[in-house]
Amino acid sequence: MGAILCDEPTCNVITRPQTRCAKVPEQLEQSCLCGGKLQYKDSCSATSTLYSFRDGVFFVHRGTHDHPRPTHKLHLTGRERAHFEDIIASHPKVKPSQLLTGVAGLTGPEDSVAEISSVLVNVDRIKAELRRMRETTAGDFEDEFAKFQAGHPGFIVFSQFGAVSVVVMQTPFMSSMLVKHLDDEEAVNGIVSDAAHGFWRESKHLLIFSSAFSTVLQHWVPGLMTYANGATEEHYRLHFLVLFESMAEECERRSIEVKDEIFANVCAFNSWISRLVIDSNIKVVDFSEAERGGFTAAFIDFWQNPSCDDSRSEEDLRQGAAALLKGCQQHFRSQVTRVSKISAAVPPNQRDHFKDRVLALQDAITKEDFHRIANAFYVTSP
């Protein structure tokens, strides 16, 4: 194989040449770390041979090297790569530059990955190693997913991968929590649906869940959980469609008639706030429009299935879905606060007035009360 040396007499950098002869000229086109010109010395009598067969590889080395040991490494050893991957596993969101300087800790920066190997002394190489690691992990995903399904039969009730990827999870116990007799007097009927941001490694991926209250446990219990790689209407449609279908199956097992009221949901819906503060220059968009649209589309898809034998038109079903949705007060208040801080929509000197007027809508008992308070808001707001 030989060695690649620098033509600068004072430079001691010695680089290992690529094992494929065709790649060596590409190495020689690069400059040495010191800026000098690289030269290939191929007088070495040592040879390495790889014999590949079905069950592995057989390596044979013959001869002795008659040149100095390379000082500049090209690749990580197995132990070095394992060390590097351990650091990434502990800090999955860290940037390459932080890995080079040392990840921030409670007592100061931790060790730099450059201390693992001289291969990792520049940001570009760290980026390449990160990319390689993630591509390898992605390649193993299908096998790992299949193993998980085999080890937890029935837990994943639906999955889809592509531009819209979802993995929907549910156990029989979770399904049983979603259906209650509608003549229960306790105010625990219905389902609460929401989405958690920041649960997964990718910040834009969501954990969507629909929960029901257990009078036995005196706690909210998840009835359906969904991994989603986004927050579009289609992501929510798939979640709610599986929710409706699982509830219908539970009703059938318990000889309960499937009615619209079974699917009543409390969701993080406050999108009407956006419409209150829209003018020709400002548009505040709320994420819950996708959730609302997904719920409605799933409701229509469920009842339009031939097995349901429902004669309502699509518009009737759309109105039926709207009647089942209610907004969560906590999300309502948080959205009012969020919008009030947008100075382009609400002038700072009117922030308290805006919040008082909008929050007063929670006190409306009838539809007429709601419209009266809303109209007063329109009149007194710029």
Side-chain angles (χ1 to χ4, degrees):
M1 292 176 58
I4 295 179
L5 309 177
C6 180
D7 66 348
E8 182 64 39
T10 58
C11 180
N12 296 319
V13 174
I14 304 172
T15 305
R16 191 186 308 277
Q18 291 278 358
T19 55
R20 297 181 181 180
C21 296
K23 293 290 185 179
V24 174
E26 296 180 13
Q27 282 184 277
L28 298 178
E29 292 177 0
Q30 305 295 322
S31 298
C32 180
L33 294 177
C34 71
K37 185 177 180 180
L38 298 177
Q39 298 177 335
Y40 181 37
K41 303 296 184 181
D42 60 352
S43 59
C44 181
S45 60
T47 61
S48 298
T49 307
L50 290 174
Y51 297 95
S52 299
F53 55 98
R54 186 182 62 185
D55 297 323
V57 176
F58 185 65
F59 175 77
V60 178
H61 181 272
R62 297 185 179 90
T64 57
H65 296 281
D66 53 10
H67 56 78
R69 181 184 294 272
T71 58
H72 184 56
K73 297 173 62 178
L74 297 178
H75 305 289
L76 296 173
T77 64
R79 181 174 297 178
E80 291 169 344
R81 186 173 300 282
H83 190 180
F84 177 77
E85 292 178 354
D86 286 343
I87 293 177
I88 304 305
S90 301
H91 308 282
K93 297 182 179 181
V94 72
K95 297 179 180 179
S97 57
Q98 294 174 305
L99 291 170
L100 183 59
T101 58
V103 181
L106 293 176
T107 58
E110 298 179 5
D111 292 340
S112 166
V113 294
E115 297 183 20
I116 298 175
S117 169
S118 59
V119 172
L120 302 172
V121 294
N122 67 77
V123 173
D124 289 337
R125 182 56 185 266
I126 296 173
K127 287 181 180 178
E129 293 295 336
L130 279 172
R131 184 167 55 250
R132 175 181 174 178
M133 177 182 171
R134 287 165 180 164
E135 288 174 352
T136 301
T137 303
D140 295 337
F141 173 75
E142 291 185 4
D143 292 338
E144 293 299 322
F145 186 73
K147 290 180 182 178
F148 181 84
Q149 281 187 302
H152 305 80
F155 181 56
I156 296 176
V157 293
F158 177 81
S159 62
Q160 171 183 299
F161 298 99
V164 175
S165 296
V166 296
V167 178
V168 188
M169 299 154 281
Q170 187 185 58
T171 65
F173 170 76
M174 294 165 65
S175 177
S176 69
M177 290 290 99
L178 294 171
V179 177
K180 298 183 176 70
H181 289 284
L182 295 179
D183 58 357
D184 285 349
E185 294 183 359
E186 296 93 338
V188 294
N189 295 310
I191 300 165
V192 174
S193 296
D194 203 351
H197 298 253
F199 183 84
W200 309 105
R201 179 182 299 176
E202 295 293 333
S203 59
K204 294 182 179 180
H205 295 185
L206 305 179
L207 175 65
I208 307 172
F209 52 91
S210 295
S211 303
F213 189 81
S214 169
T215 56
V216 176
L217 299 176
Q218 289 295 301
H219 283 285
W220 288 92
V221 178
L224 192 75
M225 300 185 298
T226 297
Y227 157 80
N229 70 337
T232 67
E233 181 175 313
E234 180 63 10
H235 287 95
Y236 285 110
R237 184 190 73 85
L238 292 171
H239 170 84
F240 284 119
L241 184 57
V242 176
L243 176 71
F244 298 158
E245 290 174 345
S246 68
M247 293 177 70
E249 292 175 2
E250 182 65 24
C251 286
E252 183 178 355
R253 282 193 293 269
R254 293 159 57 178
S255 300
I256 298 175
E257 183 182 359
V258 179
K259 298 180 180 180
D260 287 1
E261 292 78 9
I262 292 281
F263 304 137
N265 255 255
V266 176
C267 300
F269 295 150
N270 303 294
S271 58
W272 67 270
I273 298 177
S274 304
R275 294 191 287 273
L276 290 177
V277 293
I278 291 176
D279 64 22
S280 58
N281 300 314
I282 305 163
K283 183 175 182 182
V284 182
V285 180
D286 191 80
F287 67 88
S288 61
E289 282 292 354
E291 191 173 359
R292 180 193 299 274
F295 180 93
T296 303
F299 185 82
I300 294 172
D301 288 348
F302 175 81
W303 285 114
Q304 286 188 337
N305 189 308
S307 63
C308 291
D309 192 24
D310 192 290
S311 60
R312 285 177 291 179
S313 67
E314 181 173 324
E315 183 57 31
D316 289 339
L317 290 171
R318 191 175 301 278
Q319 293 179 7
L324 297 174
L325 292 174
K326 295 183 179 179
C328 169
Q329 285 193 356
Q330 177 59 34
H331 283 91
F332 177 84
R333 289 191 291 267
S334 66
Q335 290 297 301
V336 171
T337 301
R338 181 179 71 86
V339 173
S340 71
K341 294 179 179 179
I342 303 175
S343 58
V346 181
N349 63 343
Q350 297 186 26
R351 184 172 297 165
D352 292 338
H353 171 78
F354 171 84
K355 292 173 66 176
D356 291 342
R357 285 290 187 175
V358 178
L359 291 175
L361 289 166
Q362 298 177 101
D363 300 328
I365 299 175
T366 65
K367 183 184 296 185
E368 289 72 21
D369 288 339
F370 181 89
H371 286 299
R372 176 179 54 78
I373 298 172
N375 288 334
F377 173 83
Y378 277 116
V379 171
T380 58
S381 298

